[in-house]
């Protein structure tokens, strides 16, 4: 079924806004792959991505989502587009060349593309990962380490990699406001990362309390249902237009219109 999903048009890309801390204005979108099967209904990525990895289909899916996301991003010239890559894709010999070629074919500046990789992808082959990330960064791409804190890496081990951003996993954000341990962990990660010159994006922000805590801690960006879930291209375009047309004006309570529009 997964082999036929691309051909049959069952796959779509949804876009979740990435929000800047101080202004609460969106600065980009993360591309999220979705699969609606006519037989099985909505299938979560946590289910079909491992299948794609095991069968080798991840490369076909990865190429497809890269092209779709870059094509769609032409409508948001002021936004970055953040794209996830699996460990299998990251290990491809032509990984960097493929991304460069696709971006050039659509005319998307490398500086507007953020490459998201996981700890697994980085630490399976440290020397190769270090070389690949350095090449990407030297070409102008942004590099983000996704789901930080859920694996076996730490900031001391990643400081030698060419990355621009740490993404704090939702599991730590969930406890903000209710668990002192979560606040301590997020605070430590954020301050250490900023000391290394890295930006910090907190994922899974769902409440105003979490948002305010993260702003006080110093996370540079946030994502989550508080600001908007992943939405189809048409809604993402509307979100961008609201951002552009609002010209960063604020409403009565001080919240930028563009951030409020996604709630």
């Amino acid at each position: 079924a997964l082999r036929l999903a691309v051909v049959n048009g069952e796959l779509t890309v949804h876009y979740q806004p990435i929000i800047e801390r101080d202004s609460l204005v969106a600065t980009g979108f993360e591309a999220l792959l979705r699969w609606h099967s006519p037989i099985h209904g909505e299938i979560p990525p946590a289910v079909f991505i491992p299948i794609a990895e095991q069968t080798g289909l991840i490369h076909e899916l990865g190429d497809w989502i890269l092209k779709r996301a870059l094509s769609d991003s032409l409508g948001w010239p002021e936004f970055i587009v953040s794209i996830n890559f699996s460990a299998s894709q990251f290990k491809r010999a032509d990984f960097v060349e493929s991304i460069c070629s696709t971006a050039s074919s659509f005319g998307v500046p490398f500086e507007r593309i953020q490459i998201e990789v996981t700890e697994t992808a980085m630490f399976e082959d440290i020397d190769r990962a270090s070389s690949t990330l350095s090449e990407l960064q030297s070409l102008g791409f942004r590099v983000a380490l996704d789901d930080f804190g859920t694996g076996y890496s730490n900031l001391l081990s990643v400081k030698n990699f060419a990355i621009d951003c740490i993404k704090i996993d939702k599991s730590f954000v969930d406890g903000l406001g209710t668990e002192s341990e979560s606040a301590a962990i997020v605070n430590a990660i954020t301050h250490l990362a900023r000391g290394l010159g890295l930006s910090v994006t907190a994922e899974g922000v769902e409440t105003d309390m979490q948002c305010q805590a993260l702003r006080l801690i110093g996370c540079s960006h946030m994502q989550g249902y508080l600001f908007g879930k992943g939405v189809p291209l048409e809604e993402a375009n509307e979100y961008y237009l609201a951002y552009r047309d609002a010209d960063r004006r604020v409403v009565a309570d001080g919240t930028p219109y563009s951030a409020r529009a996604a709630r």
Side-chain angles (χ1 to χ4, degrees):
L2 187 56
R3 291 184 186 280
L4 296 173
V6 176
V7 178
N8 294 337
E10 299 169 18
L11 297 176
T12 57
V13 181
H14 285 195
Y15 297 96
Q16 184 176 43
I18 301 170
I19 304 297
E20 195 273 330
R21 176 196 64 195
D22 294 329
S23 64
L24 291 182
V25 167
T27 59
F29 286 120
E30 179 180 354
L32 304 170
L33 187 60
R34 297 290 182 260
W35 179 17
H36 179 80
S37 166
I39 299 175
H40 306 290
E42 296 292 338
I43 303 177
V47 173
F48 71 81
I49 292 298
I51 295 174
E53 290 268 13
Q54 294 163 13
T55 59
L57 287 171
I58 191 66
H59 301 295
E60 182 179 350
L61 293 183
D63 290 343
W64 182 85
I65 191 174
L66 176 63
K67 293 176 181 177
R68 179 56 58 88
L70 294 184
S71 175
D72 292 346
S73 75
L74 295 175
W76 324 308
E78 298 170 89
F79 279 15
I80 66 165
V81 57
S82 194
I83 305 171
N84 295 275
F85 292 89
S86 72
S88 296
Q89 292 174 274
F90 189 66
K91 289 187 292 186
R92 283 173 53 172
D94 65 342
F95 179 68
V96 176
E97 179 184 353
S98 175
I99 296 175
C100 290
S101 176
T102 304
S104 297
S105 69
F106 285 103
V108 179
F110 296 168
E111 293 77 13
R112 286 188 52 225
I113 303 171
Q114 178 166 276
I115 309 297
E116 293 197 23
V117 297
T118 63
E119 297 177 15
T120 301
M122 289 176 56
F123 287 92
E124 281 188 354
D125 186 338
I126 292 178
D127 291 338
R128 186 178 184 284
S130 178
S131 175
T132 300
L133 294 177
S134 294
E135 184 177 2
L136 286 168
Q137 197 177 66
S138 68
L139 289 168
F141 294 98
R142 289 179 51 83
V143 179
L145 177 58
D146 195 19
D147 297 336
F148 184 81
T150 60
Y152 45 79
S153 71
N154 56 62
L155 286 171
L156 294 178
S157 63
V158 303
K159 67 183 178 64
N160 296 320
F161 289 98
I163 60 176
D164 301 282
C165 174
I166 295 288
K167 301 192 75 174
I168 300 177
D169 187 70
K170 180 182 184 298
S171 60
F172 297 110
V173 175
D174 285 342
L176 289 178
T178 59
E179 300 174 4
S180 59
E181 295 85 355
S182 293
I185 291 172
V186 173
N187 186 68
I189 292 174
T190 301
H191 282 81
L192 284 170
R194 294 186 66 180
L196 294 171
L198 306 176
S199 64
V200 180
T201 299
E203 299 182 290
V205 182
E206 297 181 353
T207 69
D208 284 322
M209 181 182 294
Q210 292 170 349
C211 173
Q212 294 309 317
L214 291 165
R215 295 178 79 187
L216 288 173
I217 288 171
C219 287
S220 57
H221 295 81
M222 296 175 283
Q223 288 179 250
Y225 284 5
L226 179 66
F227 308 104
K229 62 181 181 178
V231 296
L233 175 62
E234 294 76 13
E235 293 182 47
N237 286 337
E238 293 176 2
Y239 188 99
Y240 172 76
L241 290 174
Y243 154 83
R244 187 193 67 184
D245 296 342
D247 195 29
R248 302 198 176 194
R249 292 191 298 271
V250 297
V251 293
D253 67 354
T255 303
Y257 174 77
S258 51
R260 174 174 288 267
R263 296 190 182 184

